[in-house]
Amino acid sequence: MKHISAFIFGAAIIIAAYFLGNAYIQRANPPQKISVTGLGNENFTSDLIVWEGQFSANSTVLKTAFDQLNQDKEIVRQYLTSKGINANSIIFNSVQTTEMRDNQYENGNYVGSIFRGYQLTQTLKIESENVTLIEGVSREITELLNKGVQFNSSPPRYYYTKLADLKIEMISKATEDARIRAEKIAENAGSNLGDLVSASMGVFQITGQNSGEDYSWGGAYNTSSKNKTASITMRLEYKVK
């Protein structure tokens, strides 16, 4: 039994020494890998514009305000169609009604309010692929003042309908850029690039061209510029042989 115990104890020491020695060798000679980040970007011009605006009518009589609003609505519609905008592209939303009151105070304390009338507001929205046309009309909309309509225009928003295809192309560019960087690093180290171990995509960013916008961790999506720059990063990890 003593001989058997001694044999088992000796074998355990040998096995432990093997694993400890192997772990030391692995620490001294870790697997050789290269991690690189590639960038893909593309300039493009928006092919869809969204433009919104609103106009109002005021009166102490609700029906009078409503009738005035409908008259202004027809003036706005005729003006936009006369500029070449398709009538089907003009979406008038539901009318918003606000009861206007003046607050009354005595000795700094609120004591009630006095009714001043009604304000009815009509909003509209236009979506079109004719970006140049809508852009031009949005700049000339103050002409409605000459027709008695005070139209409040919001800045147009610009979008791109082929964004999915653009994103695929940019991923390809970013991946190729990362591979070229990895090959150069391996070459400078006197090694050869091995198999791809992993690949991960970074945040997709869309900024205005020459805008100086900051990138966001959650991804930027500029809608205020017609001309934009899209960018994406790809992080690749390669073996080195």
Side-chain angles (χ1 to χ4, degrees), residues 31-105:
Q32 298 298 307
K33 294 180 182 178
I34 292 177
S35 294
V36 290
T37 300
L39 174 66
N41 52 38
E42 189 75 28
N43 293 329
F44 64 95
T45 300
S46 303
D47 60 1
L48 178 68
I49 187 171
V50 177
W51 177 44
E52 294 177 298
Q54 65 178 36
F55 51 96
S56 302
N58 301 325
S59 177
T60 55
V61 179
L62 186 59
K63 185 179 184 306
T64 301
F66 186 71
D67 290 342
Q68 180 61 52
L69 192 71
N70 278 335
Q71 292 178 26
D72 292 348
K73 178 180 178 179
E74 191 57 33
I75 292 172
V76 171
R77 189 199 308 275
Q78 291 179 6
Y79 173 82
L80 294 175
T81 55
S82 70
K83 294 292 184 177
I85 297 177
N86 190 318
N88 294 329
S89 300
I90 307 170
I91 306 300
F92 288 95
N93 299 314
S94 58
V95 176
Q96 298 177 353
T97 304
T98 304
E99 188 175 293
M100 299 180 294
R101 289 182 171 274
D102 286 333
N103 293 330
Q104 300 295 305
Y105 297 88

